[in-house]
């Protein structure tokens, strides 16, 4: 199911069986701040002293100061010449006196010493003292592809190129930018960093191209136990030819300590066959908050604006996608496929989502988790199991949600959930319409397509009527000609022939009054009630009270419809 990262000491606990079961059931997809123990050293030996090894008085601690960047070696502003510096600009690698990197050659030195497994640099602190240019000029075009022959670019070796030689230190971009990054391999762990159990913060990477077979990310190919990424922007094209591509990270796996991704933004393009995400390709034991994706994300299985797929545990909050997302199965604005245990909350999608099976404005497919206080404001297109919030839901808790996007799907489709099994859901409204052709409707509802064994309350929708002008597609091929004036053909209603059909009439099913037909709240349901409202009623303060405390009235937002209080 996934390409597991195998550590020499222990194997990672990946719940392969859980995700296998999920996929098998398909049919023809603010940080609180983080700190470390402070120690200081006044030399550039690369050793880190501690209070235990070298006790110091409080006055001596105060006298230890970080070396000013102006006293560091290195001429800034020049593109990388392909060489590697023999030392860093200055510093000792402690938190109070980090190694300072001012040139591309010094950055290359970091890649070298980590890749060589030099123990002296494990767990050390590094900081950029200037912007870094790895390749001069524009690397990628408007489609996110390299402008010139790849032979013309200097190829970067990721810092911590494998899980056997990971980067385990702390990297502070210090508000600087790394540009012109070019990574092109047929291997795994592709990015500015390859594999890290580290901290990366305060950094922008732009005008860059990263491609490899597995685990590719705009910042890191893979991050492991306890890693923290925060205050980061990536403007990068990322491609994994097989699996796990993310605008920020390809794969994130925590074990005893959760991985944390906070306050990051992604632009550019992301593509992979399996598990593509604007922020993260796939992850477990990961916490993601305050993130935003602008990148266009494409893939096959598990494609989304924030996280392509998760397993074991994940929590996503304050996330927003505005990029276009296109995949095949398990496609979502926030998460493509959610394994089990975790939450998506206080998040919103406003980018167009297109897929085939299990497509949702927030979540494509999920099991045994919760979706709370979320909104979709964009159109969603799918072939089956498609919803404004969730495409395919199994044992989900879905509360305090709304959808204003139109749905283009004629099989198991709903404004809130496409296919809903054994869930608990309440406080939801939709104003979106189903724009599919009614002739092909099967289990289509304005709220839920298929609703079985679900506890449901406080669902509201705006009535949608369809007429004969909407019914304009061939349901089945008529083998025997029918007179054009005939209005009834068994249980099938025939209407006028159009140019596409010549001798055969267009037919629609089932037989009913084609002048006016209301799409039901539920396409198929064994219980639950949804109430119709007018647009004016939904824009009232009284309606907000019906929805509950998570909603607020604000006539200047969302075209006057209720919004969530975090918005």
């Amino acid at each position: 199911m996934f390409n597991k990262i195998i550590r020499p000491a222990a194997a990672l606990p990946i719940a392969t069986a859980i995700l296998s079961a999920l996929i098998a059931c398909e049919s023809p997809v603010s940080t609180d701040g983080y700190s470390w123990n402070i120690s200081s050293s006044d030399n550039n030996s690369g050793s880190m002293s501690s209070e235990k090894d070298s006790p110091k008085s409080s006055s001596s601690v105060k006298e230890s100061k970080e070396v000013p960047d102006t006293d560091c070696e290195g001429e800034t502003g020049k593109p990388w010449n392909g060489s590697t510096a023999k030392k860093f600009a200055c510093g000792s690698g402690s938190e109070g006196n980090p190694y300072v990197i001012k040139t591309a050659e010094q950055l290359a030195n970091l890649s070298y010493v980590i890749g060589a497994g030099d123990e002296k640099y494990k767990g050390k602190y590094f900081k950029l003292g200037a912007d870094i240019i790895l390749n001069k000029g524009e690397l990628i075009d408007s489609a996110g592809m390299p402008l010139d022959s790849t032979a013309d670019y200097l190829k970067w070796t990721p810092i911590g190129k494998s899980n056997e030689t990971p980067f385990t230190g702390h990297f502070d971009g210090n508000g600087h930018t790394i540009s012109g990054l070019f990574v092109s391999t047929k291997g795994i762990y592709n990015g500015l960093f390859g594999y890290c159990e580290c901290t990366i913060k305060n950094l922008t990477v732009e005008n860059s191209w990263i491609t490899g077979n597995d685990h590719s990310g705009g910042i890191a190919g893979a991050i492991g136990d306890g890693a923290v990424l925060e205050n980061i922007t990536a403007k990068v094209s990322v491609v994994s030819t097989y699996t796990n591509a993310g605008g920020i990270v390809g794969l994130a796996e925590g074990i005893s300590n959760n991985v944390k991704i906070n306050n990051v933004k992604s632009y550019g393009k992301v593509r992979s066959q399996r598990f593509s995400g604007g922020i993260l390709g796939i992850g477990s034991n990961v916490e993601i908050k305050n993130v935003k994706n602008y990148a266009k994300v494409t893939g096959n299985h598990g494609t989304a604006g924030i996280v392509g797929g998760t397993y074991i545990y994940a929590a996503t909050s304050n996330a927003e996608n505005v990029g276009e997302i296109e995949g095949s199965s398990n496609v979502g604005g926030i998460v493509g496929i959610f394994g089990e245990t975790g939450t998506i909350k206080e998040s919103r999608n406003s980018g167009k989502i297109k897929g085939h099976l299990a497509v949702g404005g927030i979540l494509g497919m999920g099991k045994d988790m919760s979706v709370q206080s979320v909104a979709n404001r964009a159109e969603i297109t799918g072939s089956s199991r498609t919803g404004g919030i969730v495409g395919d839901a199994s044992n989900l808790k879905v509360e305090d949600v709304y959808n204003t996007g139109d749905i283009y799907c004629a099989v198991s489709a709903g404004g809130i959930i496409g296919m809903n099994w054994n869930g608990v859901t309440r406080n939801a409204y939709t104003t979106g319409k189903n724009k599919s052709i009614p002739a092909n409707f099967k289990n289509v509802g304005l709220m839920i397509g298929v609703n079985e064994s679900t506890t449901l309350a406080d669902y509201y929708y705006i009535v949608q009527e369809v007429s004969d002008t909407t019914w304009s597609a061939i349901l089945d091929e008529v083998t025997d000609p029918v007179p054009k004036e005939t209005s009834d053909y068994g249980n099938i209603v025939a209407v006028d022939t159009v140019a596409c059909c010549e001798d055969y009439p267009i037919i629609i099913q089932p037989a009913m009054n084609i002048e006016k037909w209301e799409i039901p709240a539920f396409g198929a349901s064994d219980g639950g009630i949804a109430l119709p409202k007018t647009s004016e009623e939904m824009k009232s303060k009284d309606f907000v009270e019906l929805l509950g405390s998570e909603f607020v009235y604000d006539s200047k937002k969302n075209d006057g419809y209720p919004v969530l209080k975090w918005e």
Side-chain angles (χ1 to χ4, degrees), residues 57-97:
S57 66
S58 60
S59 61
S60 65
V61 172
K62 291 180 180 179
E63 290 171 0
S64 177
K65 296 181 179 179
E66 184 177 313
V67 177
D69 290 354
T70 54
D71 296 336
C72 297
E73 299 177 6
E75 186 177 355
T76 63
K78 290 187 175 183
W80 187 27
N81 60 19
S83 68
T84 302
K86 298 300 185 289
K87 62 180 181 179
F88 300 111
C90 57
S92 65
S94 67
E95 184 178 13
N97 188 28

Side-chain angles (χ1 to χ4, degrees), residues 326-366:
E326 185 171 351
S328 181
S329 60
N330 303 328
V331 184
I334 303 301
V335 179
I337 180 169
F338 205 119
E340 67 171 22
T341 312
T343 62
I344 302 173
K345 66 178 183 179
E346 296 180 1
S347 299
R348 179 174 63 218
N349 174 66
S350 54
K352 292 182 179 180
I353 312 297
K354 185 177 182 180
H356 294 291
L357 176 67
V359 185
I362 299 299
L363 172 63
M365 180 181 185

Side-chain angles (χ1 to χ4, degrees), residues 151-175:
D152 297 332
Y153 300 136
L154 294 174
K155 292 185 178 180
W156 177 254
T157 300
I159 302 166
K161 62 182 180 181
S162 77
N163 62 336
E164 294 182 353
T165 55
F167 177 65
T168 59
H170 313 277
F171 188 90
D172 185 355
N174 197 28

Side-chain angles (χ1 to χ4, degrees), residues 215-263:
H215 316 321
S216 301
I219 301 300
I223 58 177
D225 199 44
V228 176
L229 274 62
E230 58 182 343
N231 304 329
I232 291 172
T233 298
K235 302 178 181 180
V236 185
S237 285
V238 181
V239 177
S240 279
T241 54
Y242 180 56
T243 188
N244 304 344
I248 303 296
V249 178
L251 177 132
E253 291 188 309
I255 303 177
S256 57
N257 297 287
N258 288 343
V259 171
K260 297 180 180 180
I261 301 174
N262 176 56
N263 194 28

Side-chain angles (χ1 to χ4, degrees), residues 34 92 120-121 200 202 212 258 326 406 434 441 451 454 481:
Y34 305 98
S92 65
K120 184 171 68 173
Y121 297 98
I200 306 171
N202 307 327
N258 288 343
E326 185 171 351
D406 292 334
N434 192 303
F441 275 1
N451 186 51
T454 296

Side-chain angles (χ1 to χ4, degrees), residues 471 486-495 506-512 514:
W471 302 29
T486 298
S487 60
D488 192 78
Y489 186 70
N491 290 326
I492 299 173
V493 177
V495 296
I506 290 177
I507 57 176
I508 57 180
Q509 184 181 19
M512 59 178 64
I514 64 174

Side-chain angles (χ1 to χ4, degrees), residues 363-381:
L363 172 63
M365 180 181 185
K367 179 182 179 182
D368 300 328
M369 44 83 65
S370 66
V371 178
Q372 299 175 324
S373 192
V374 300
N376 174 63
R377 296 186 181 183
E379 68 180 43
I380 312 298
T381 301

